[in-house]
PDB file of all heavy atoms in Angstrom:
ATOM      1  N   ALA Q 474       1.576  13.716 -10.014  1.00 92.00           N
ATOM      2  CA  ALA Q 474       0.242  13.806 -10.545  1.00 92.00           C
ATOM      3  C   ALA Q 474      -0.335  15.173 -10.326  1.00 92.00           C
ATOM      4  O   ALA Q 474      -0.934  15.777 -11.343  1.00 92.00           O
ATOM      5  CB  ALA Q 474      -0.711  12.753  -9.967  1.00 92.00           C
ATOM      6  N   SER Q 475      -0.122  15.844  -9.196  1.00 94.00           N
ATOM      7  CA  SER Q 475      -0.660  17.168  -9.025  1.00 94.00           C
ATOM      8  C   SER Q 475       0.215  18.172  -9.833  1.00 94.00           C
ATOM      9  O   SER Q 475      -0.442  19.149 -10.214  1.00 94.00           O
ATOM     10  CB  SER Q 475      -0.657  17.446  -7.457  1.00 94.00           C
ATOM     11  OG  SER Q 475       0.563  17.303  -6.884  1.00 94.00           O
ATOM     12  N   SER Q 476       1.376  17.967 -10.009  1.00 93.00           N
ATOM     13  CA  SER Q 476       2.208  18.864 -10.886  1.00 93.00           C
ATOM     14  C   SER Q 476       1.708  18.841 -12.305  1.00 93.00           C
ATOM     15  O   SER Q 476       1.480  19.832 -12.959  1.00 93.00           O
ATOM     16  CB  SER Q 476       3.704  18.517 -10.873  1.00 93.00           C
ATOM     17  OG  SER Q 476       4.241  18.718  -9.494  1.00 93.00           O
ATOM     18  N   LEU Q 477       1.456  17.574 -12.837  1.00 93.00           N
ATOM     19  CA  LEU Q 477       0.921  17.422 -14.202  1.00 93.00           C
ATOM     20  C   LEU Q 477      -0.426  18.094 -14.315  1.00 93.00           C
ATOM     21  O   LEU Q 477      -0.726  18.713 -15.407  1.00 93.00           O
ATOM     22  CB  LEU Q 477       0.910  15.926 -14.518  1.00 93.00           C
ATOM     23  CG  LEU Q 477       2.193  15.303 -14.837  1.00 93.00           C
ATOM     24  CD1 LEU Q 477       2.007  13.714 -14.937  1.00 93.00           C
ATOM     25  CD2 LEU Q 477       2.843  15.782 -16.149  1.00 93.00           C
ATOM     26  N   ALA Q 478      -1.268  17.928 -13.238  1.00 94.00           N
ATOM     27  CA  ALA Q 478      -2.691  18.440 -13.415  1.00 94.00           C
ATOM     28  C   ALA Q 478      -2.553  19.956 -13.494  1.00 94.00           C
ATOM     29  O   ALA Q 478      -3.429  20.602 -14.126  1.00 94.00           O
ATOM     30  CB  ALA Q 478      -3.413  18.013 -12.220  1.00 94.00           C
ATOM     31  N   ARG Q 479      -1.579  20.620 -12.906  1.00 93.00           N
ATOM     32  CA  ARG Q 479      -1.516  22.102 -12.844  1.00 93.00           C
ATOM     33  C   ARG Q 479      -1.102  22.484 -14.275  1.00 93.00           C
ATOM     34  O   ARG Q 479      -1.478  23.685 -14.575  1.00 93.00           O
ATOM     35  CB  ARG Q 479      -0.512  22.486 -11.900  1.00 93.00           C
ATOM     36  CG  ARG Q 479      -0.900  22.494 -10.435  1.00 93.00           C
ATOM     37  CD  ARG Q 479       0.181  23.226  -9.462  1.00 93.00           C
ATOM     38  NE  ARG Q 479      -0.258  23.172  -8.129  1.00 93.00           N
ATOM     39  CZ  ARG Q 479       0.047  22.335  -7.211  1.00 93.00           C
ATOM     40  NH1 ARG Q 479       0.860  21.273  -7.559  1.00 93.00           N
ATOM     41  NH2 ARG Q 479      -0.336  22.305  -5.986  1.00 93.00           N
ATOM     42  N   ILE Q 480      -0.524  21.674 -15.087  1.00 94.00           N
ATOM     43  CA  ILE Q 480      -0.190  22.131 -16.500  1.00 94.00           C
ATOM     44  C   ILE Q 480      -1.189  21.477 -17.438  1.00 94.00           C
ATOM     45  O   ILE Q 480      -0.972  21.400 -18.701  1.00 94.00           O
ATOM     46  CB  ILE Q 480       1.241  21.796 -16.951  1.00 94.00           C
ATOM     47  CG1 ILE Q 480       1.544  20.294 -16.807  1.00 94.00           C
ATOM     48  CG2 ILE Q 480       2.169  22.624 -16.043  1.00 94.00           C
ATOM     49  CD1 ILE Q 480       2.864  19.926 -17.448  1.00 94.00           C
ATOM     50  N   GLY Q 481      -2.342  20.971 -16.968  1.00 93.00           N
ATOM     51  CA  GLY Q 481      -3.434  20.488 -17.894  1.00 93.00           C
ATOM     52  C   GLY Q 481      -3.528  19.086 -18.055  1.00 93.00           C
ATOM     53  O   GLY Q 481      -4.511  18.629 -18.714  1.00 93.00           O
ATOM     54  N   VAL Q 482      -2.598  18.232 -17.592  1.00 92.00           N
ATOM     55  CA  VAL Q 482      -2.668  16.776 -17.792  1.00 92.00           C
ATOM     56  C   VAL Q 482      -3.269  16.172 -16.496  1.00 92.00           C
ATOM     57  O   VAL Q 482      -2.550  15.954 -15.529  1.00 92.00           O
ATOM     58  CB  VAL Q 482      -1.274  16.153 -17.941  1.00 92.00           C
ATOM     59  CG1 VAL Q 482      -1.263  14.717 -18.288  1.00 92.00           C
ATOM     60  CG2 VAL Q 482      -0.542  16.896 -19.150  1.00 92.00           C
ATOM     61  N   ARG Q 483      -4.586  15.976 -16.558  1.00 93.00           N
ATOM     62  CA  ARG Q 483      -5.355  15.736 -15.348  1.00 93.00           C
ATOM     63  C   ARG Q 483      -5.513  14.193 -15.014  1.00 93.00           C
ATOM     64  O   ARG Q 483      -5.901  13.851 -14.060  1.00 93.00           O
ATOM     65  CB  ARG Q 483      -6.748  16.381 -15.368  1.00 93.00           C
ATOM     66  CG  ARG Q 483      -6.604  17.854 -15.139  1.00 93.00           C
ATOM     67  CD  ARG Q 483      -7.871  18.643 -15.481  1.00 93.00           C
ATOM     68  NE  ARG Q 483      -9.072  18.033 -15.105  1.00 93.00           N
ATOM     69  CZ  ARG Q 483      -9.992  18.607 -14.289  1.00 93.00           C
ATOM     70  NH1 ARG Q 483      -9.803  19.903 -13.864  1.00 93.00           N
ATOM     71  NH2 ARG Q 483     -11.121  18.035 -14.033  1.00 93.00           N
ATOM     72  N   GLY Q 484      -5.217  13.365 -16.082  1.00 89.00           N
ATOM     73  CA  GLY Q 484      -5.573  11.927 -15.862  1.00 89.00           C
ATOM     74  C   GLY Q 484      -4.959  11.258 -14.677  1.00 89.00           C
ATOM     75  O   GLY Q 484      -5.667  10.657 -13.897  1.00 89.00           O
ATOM     76  N   PRO Q 485      -3.639  11.521 -14.494  1.00 88.00           N
ATOM     77  CA  PRO Q 485      -3.030  10.744 -13.264  1.00 88.00           C
ATOM     78  C   PRO Q 485      -3.572  11.417 -11.924  1.00 88.00           C
ATOM     79  O   PRO Q 485      -3.788  10.652 -11.039  1.00 88.00           O
ATOM     80  CB  PRO Q 485      -1.551  11.072 -13.376  1.00 88.00           C
ATOM     81  CG  PRO Q 485      -1.308  11.282 -14.850  1.00 88.00           C
ATOM     82  CD  PRO Q 485      -2.527  11.947 -15.375  1.00 88.00           C
ATOM     83  N   TYR Q 486      -3.909  12.633 -11.954  1.00 94.00           N
ATOM     84  CA  TYR Q 486      -4.506  13.208 -10.722  1.00 94.00           C
ATOM     85  C   TYR Q 486      -5.908  12.680 -10.419  1.00 94.00           C
ATOM     86  O   TYR Q 486      -6.161  12.366  -9.229  1.00 94.00           O
ATOM     87  CB  TYR Q 486      -4.595  14.795 -10.908  1.00 94.00           C
ATOM     88  CG  TYR Q 486      -4.886  15.539  -9.678  1.00 94.00           C
ATOM     89  CD1 TYR Q 486      -3.988  15.696  -8.585  1.00 94.00           C
ATOM     90  CD2 TYR Q 486      -6.204  16.172  -9.445  1.00 94.00           C
ATOM     91  CE1 TYR Q 486      -4.287  16.429  -7.499  1.00 94.00           C
ATOM     92  CE2 TYR Q 486      -6.474  16.900  -8.409  1.00 94.00           C
ATOM     93  CZ  TYR Q 486      -5.588  17.084  -7.351  1.00 94.00           C
ATOM     94  OH  TYR Q 486      -5.919  17.783  -6.257  1.00 94.00           O
ATOM     95  N   LEU Q 487      -6.707  12.557 -11.439  1.00 94.00           N
ATOM     96  CA  LEU Q 487      -8.039  11.979 -11.320  1.00 94.00           C
ATOM     97  C   LEU Q 487      -7.920  10.574 -10.737  1.00 94.00           C
ATOM     98  O   LEU Q 487      -8.702  10.084  -9.989  1.00 94.00           O
ATOM     99  CB  LEU Q 487      -8.835  12.076 -12.634  1.00 94.00           C
ATOM    100  CG  LEU Q 487      -9.062  13.306 -13.236  1.00 94.00           C
ATOM    101  CD1 LEU Q 487      -9.887  13.240 -14.521  1.00 94.00           C
ATOM    102  CD2 LEU Q 487      -9.788  14.317 -12.251  1.00 94.00           C
ATOM    103  N   ARG Q 488      -6.849   9.817 -11.360  1.00 90.00           N
ATOM    104  CA  ARG Q 488      -6.678   8.400 -10.982  1.00 90.00           C
ATOM    105  C   ARG Q 488      -6.245   8.388  -9.521  1.00 90.00           C
ATOM    106  O   ARG Q 488      -6.732   7.501  -8.710  1.00 90.00           O
ATOM    107  CB  ARG Q 488      -5.615   7.804 -11.858  1.00 90.00           C
ATOM    108  CG  ARG Q 488      -5.336   6.412 -11.649  1.00 90.00           C
ATOM    109  CD  ARG Q 488      -6.374   5.497 -12.059  1.00 90.00           C
ATOM    110  NE  ARG Q 488      -6.008   4.101 -11.781  1.00 90.00           N
ATOM    111  CZ  ARG Q 488      -6.026   3.594 -10.506  1.00 90.00           C
ATOM    112  NH1 ARG Q 488      -6.387   4.382  -9.466  1.00 90.00           N
ATOM    113  NH2 ARG Q 488      -5.650   2.313 -10.234  1.00 90.00           N
ATOM    114  N   CYS Q 489      -5.400   9.282  -9.085  1.00 92.00           N
ATOM    115  CA  CYS Q 489      -4.963   9.260  -7.589  1.00 92.00           C
ATOM    116  C   CYS Q 489      -6.178   9.400  -6.740  1.00 92.00           C
ATOM    117  O   CYS Q 489      -6.141   8.794  -5.618  1.00 92.00           O
ATOM    118  CB  CYS Q 489      -3.926  10.349  -7.345  1.00 92.00           C
ATOM    119  SG  CYS Q 489      -2.247  10.149  -7.864  1.00 92.00           S
ATOM    120  N   TRP Q 490      -7.087  10.287  -7.044  1.00 95.00           N
ATOM    121  CA  TRP Q 490      -8.245  10.508  -6.243  1.00 95.00           C
ATOM    122  C   TRP Q 490      -9.338   9.541  -6.469  1.00 95.00           C
ATOM    123  O   TRP Q 490     -10.414   9.488  -5.755  1.00 95.00           O
ATOM    124  CB  TRP Q 490      -8.838  11.899  -6.400  1.00 95.00           C
ATOM    125  CG  TRP Q 490      -8.012  13.015  -5.818  1.00 95.00           C
ATOM    126  CD1 TRP Q 490      -7.055  13.853  -6.400  1.00 95.00           C
ATOM    127  CD2 TRP Q 490      -8.169  13.506  -4.473  1.00 95.00           C
ATOM    128  NE1 TRP Q 490      -6.602  14.735  -5.419  1.00 95.00           N
ATOM    129  CE2 TRP Q 490      -7.205  14.479  -4.261  1.00 95.00           C
ATOM    130  CE3 TRP Q 490      -8.922  13.062  -3.393  1.00 95.00           C
ATOM    131  CZ2 TRP Q 490      -7.062  15.179  -3.110  1.00 95.00           C
ATOM    132  CZ3 TRP Q 490      -8.761  13.707  -2.113  1.00 95.00           C
ATOM    133  CH2 TRP Q 490      -7.797  14.807  -1.990  1.00 95.00           C
ATOM    134  N   GLN Q 491      -9.161   8.653  -7.420  1.00 92.00           N
ATOM    135  CA  GLN Q 491     -10.257   7.659  -7.795  1.00 92.00           C
ATOM    136  C   GLN Q 491     -11.519   8.397  -8.245  1.00 92.00           C
ATOM    137  O   GLN Q 491     -12.610   7.990  -7.949  1.00 92.00           O
ATOM    138  CB  GLN Q 491     -10.383   6.590  -6.758  1.00 92.00           C
ATOM    139  CG  GLN Q 491      -9.214   5.767  -6.504  1.00 92.00           C
ATOM    140  CD  GLN Q 491      -9.290   4.517  -5.707  1.00 92.00           C
ATOM    141  OE1 GLN Q 491     -10.419   4.131  -5.381  1.00 92.00           O
ATOM    142  NE2 GLN Q 491      -8.259   3.812  -5.375  1.00 92.00           N
ATOM    143  N   HIS Q 492     -11.294   9.552  -8.897  1.00 92.00           N
ATOM    144  CA  HIS Q 492     -12.295  10.390  -9.448  1.00 92.00           C
ATOM    145  C   HIS Q 492     -13.129   9.588 -10.394  1.00 92.00           C
ATOM    146  O   HIS Q 492     -12.574   8.902 -11.359  1.00 92.00           O
ATOM    147  CB  HIS Q 492     -11.736  11.544 -10.103  1.00 92.00           C
ATOM    148  CG  HIS Q 492     -12.753  12.566 -10.595  1.00 92.00           C
ATOM    149  ND1 HIS Q 492     -13.477  12.390 -11.719  1.00 92.00           N
ATOM    150  CD2 HIS Q 492     -13.192  13.723 -10.046  1.00 92.00           C
ATOM    151  CE1 HIS Q 492     -14.247  13.457 -11.917  1.00 92.00           C
ATOM    152  NE2 HIS Q 492     -14.106  14.273 -10.929  1.00 92.00           N
ATOM    153  N   GLY Q 493     -14.489   9.621 -10.260  1.00 89.00           N
ATOM    154  CA  GLY Q 493     -15.324   8.824 -11.216  1.00 89.00           C
ATOM    155  C   GLY Q 493     -15.530   7.366 -10.863  1.00 89.00           C
ATOM    156  O   GLY Q 493     -16.304   6.614 -11.472  1.00 89.00           O
ATOM    157  N   LEU Q 494     -14.877   6.895  -9.790  1.00 87.00           N
ATOM    158  CA  LEU Q 494     -15.081   5.511  -9.347  1.00 87.00           C
ATOM    159  C   LEU Q 494     -16.153   5.514  -8.239  1.00 87.00           C
ATOM    160  O   LEU Q 494     -16.425   6.586  -7.639  1.00 87.00           O
ATOM    161  CB  LEU Q 494     -13.765   4.901  -8.832  1.00 87.00           C
ATOM    162  CG  LEU Q 494     -12.695   4.716  -9.962  1.00 87.00           C
ATOM    163  CD1 LEU Q 494     -11.495   4.154  -9.408  1.00 87.00           C
ATOM    164  CD2 LEU Q 494     -13.316   3.922 -11.088  1.00 87.00           C
ATOM    165  N   PRO Q 495     -16.653   4.320  -7.788  1.00 84.00           N
ATOM    166  CA  PRO Q 495     -17.755   4.334  -6.954  1.00 84.00           C
ATOM    167  C   PRO Q 495     -17.405   4.953  -5.489  1.00 84.00           C
ATOM    168  O   PRO Q 495     -18.201   5.544  -4.805  1.00 84.00           O
ATOM    169  CB  PRO Q 495     -18.096   2.839  -6.715  1.00 84.00           C
ATOM    170  CG  PRO Q 495     -17.587   2.237  -7.957  1.00 84.00           C
ATOM    171  CD  PRO Q 495     -16.403   3.023  -8.452  1.00 84.00           C
ATOM    172  N   SER Q 496     -16.136   4.783  -5.088  1.00 86.00           N
ATOM    173  CA  SER Q 496     -15.668   5.300  -3.803  1.00 86.00           C
ATOM    174  C   SER Q 496     -14.381   6.084  -3.951  1.00 86.00           C
ATOM    175  O   SER Q 496     -13.308   5.610  -3.720  1.00 86.00           O
ATOM    176  CB  SER Q 496     -15.565   4.181  -2.798  1.00 86.00           C
ATOM    177  OG  SER Q 496     -15.172   4.660  -1.584  1.00 86.00           O
ATOM    178  N   PRO Q 497     -14.600   7.411  -4.362  1.00 94.00           N
ATOM    179  CA  PRO Q 497     -13.443   8.251  -4.547  1.00 94.00           C
ATOM    180  C   PRO Q 497     -12.748   8.593  -3.181  1.00 94.00           C
ATOM    181  O   PRO Q 497     -13.314   8.275  -2.137  1.00 94.00           O
ATOM    182  CB  PRO Q 497     -13.877   9.485  -5.224  1.00 94.00           C
ATOM    183  CG  PRO Q 497     -15.359   9.564  -4.811  1.00 94.00           C
ATOM    184  CD  PRO Q 497     -15.780   8.116  -4.645  1.00 94.00           C
ATOM    185  N   HIS Q 498     -11.559   9.203  -3.184  1.00 95.00           N
ATOM    186  CA  HIS Q 498     -11.011   9.645  -1.979  1.00 95.00           C
ATOM    187  C   HIS Q 498     -11.499  10.936  -1.431  1.00 95.00           C
ATOM    188  O   HIS Q 498     -11.736  11.815  -2.261  1.00 95.00           O
ATOM    189  CB  HIS Q 498      -9.444   9.804  -2.187  1.00 95.00           C
ATOM    190  CG  HIS Q 498      -8.729   8.467  -2.480  1.00 95.00           C
ATOM    191  ND1 HIS Q 498      -7.500   8.336  -2.905  1.00 95.00           N
ATOM    192  CD2 HIS Q 498      -9.223   7.164  -2.499  1.00 95.00           C
ATOM    193  CE1 HIS Q 498      -7.166   7.077  -3.089  1.00 95.00           C
ATOM    194  NE2 HIS Q 498      -8.156   6.386  -2.816  1.00 95.00           N
ATOM    195  N   THR Q 499     -11.764  11.088  -0.217  1.00 95.00           N
ATOM    196  CA  THR Q 499     -12.092  12.385   0.364  1.00 95.00           C
ATOM    197  C   THR Q 499     -10.856  13.115   0.892  1.00 95.00           C
ATOM    198  O   THR Q 499     -10.932  14.258   1.162  1.00 95.00           O
ATOM    199  CB  THR Q 499     -13.195  12.203   1.490  1.00 95.00           C
ATOM    200  OG1 THR Q 499     -12.629  11.368   2.483  1.00 95.00           O
ATOM    201  CG2 THR Q 499     -14.366  11.628   0.877  1.00 95.00           C
ATOM    202  N   HIS Q 500      -9.773  12.368   1.294  1.00 96.00           N
ATOM    203  CA  HIS Q 500      -8.587  13.034   1.908  1.00 96.00           C
ATOM    204  C   HIS Q 500      -7.357  12.411   1.351  1.00 96.00           C
ATOM    205  O   HIS Q 500      -7.298  11.258   0.852  1.00 96.00           O
ATOM    206  CB  HIS Q 500      -8.571  12.693   3.444  1.00 96.00           C
ATOM    207  CG  HIS Q 500      -9.624  13.407   4.140  1.00 96.00           C
ATOM    208  ND1 HIS Q 500     -10.846  12.788   4.501  1.00 96.00           N
ATOM    209  CD2 HIS Q 500      -9.743  14.642   4.654  1.00 96.00           C
ATOM    210  CE1 HIS Q 500     -11.611  13.594   5.090  1.00 96.00           C
ATOM    211  NE2 HIS Q 500     -10.980  14.810   5.236  1.00 96.00           N
ATOM    212  N   TYR Q 501      -6.318  13.250   1.311  1.00 95.00           N
ATOM    213  CA  TYR Q 501      -4.952  12.805   1.025  1.00 95.00           C
ATOM    214  C   TYR Q 501      -4.069  13.302   2.204  1.00 95.00           C
ATOM    215  O   TYR Q 501      -3.955  14.456   2.331  1.00 95.00           O
ATOM    216  CB  TYR Q 501      -4.457  13.300  -0.275  1.00 95.00           C
ATOM    217  CG  TYR Q 501      -4.094  12.244  -1.302  1.00 95.00           C
ATOM    218  CD1 TYR Q 501      -5.009  11.842  -2.273  1.00 95.00           C
ATOM    219  CD2 TYR Q 501      -2.877  11.612  -1.273  1.00 95.00           C
ATOM    220  CE1 TYR Q 501      -4.693  10.847  -3.202  1.00 95.00           C
ATOM    221  CE2 TYR Q 501      -2.590  10.600  -2.232  1.00 95.00           C
ATOM    222  CZ  TYR Q 501      -3.483  10.256  -3.154  1.00 95.00           C
ATOM    223  OH  TYR Q 501      -3.175   9.280  -4.081  1.00 95.00           O
ATOM    224  N   PHE Q 502      -3.582  12.433   3.035  1.00 97.00           N
ATOM    225  CA  PHE Q 502      -2.794  12.889   4.207  1.00 97.00           C
ATOM    226  C   PHE Q 502      -1.316  12.710   3.987  1.00 97.00           C
ATOM    227  O   PHE Q 502      -0.864  11.667   3.513  1.00 97.00           O
ATOM    228  CB  PHE Q 502      -3.094  12.054   5.428  1.00 97.00           C
ATOM    229  CG  PHE Q 502      -4.506  12.120   5.950  1.00 97.00           C
ATOM    230  CD1 PHE Q 502      -5.513  11.275   5.606  1.00 97.00           C
ATOM    231  CD2 PHE Q 502      -4.808  13.158   6.808  1.00 97.00           C
ATOM    232  CE1 PHE Q 502      -6.782  11.339   6.104  1.00 97.00           C
ATOM    233  CE2 PHE Q 502      -6.101  13.314   7.320  1.00 97.00           C
ATOM    234  CZ  PHE Q 502      -7.107  12.418   6.982  1.00 97.00           C
TER     235      PHE Q 502
END
Side-chain angles (χ1 to χ4, degrees):
S475 53
S476 297
L477 284 169
R479 284 189 176 95
I480 60 169
V482 182
R483 287 167 41 126
Y486 189 73
L487 300 182
R488 180 73 184 73
C489 278
W490 281 98
Q491 300 193 5
H492 185 281
L494 295 182
S496 184
H498 294 172
T499 58
H500 294 94
Y501 242 97
F502 293 98

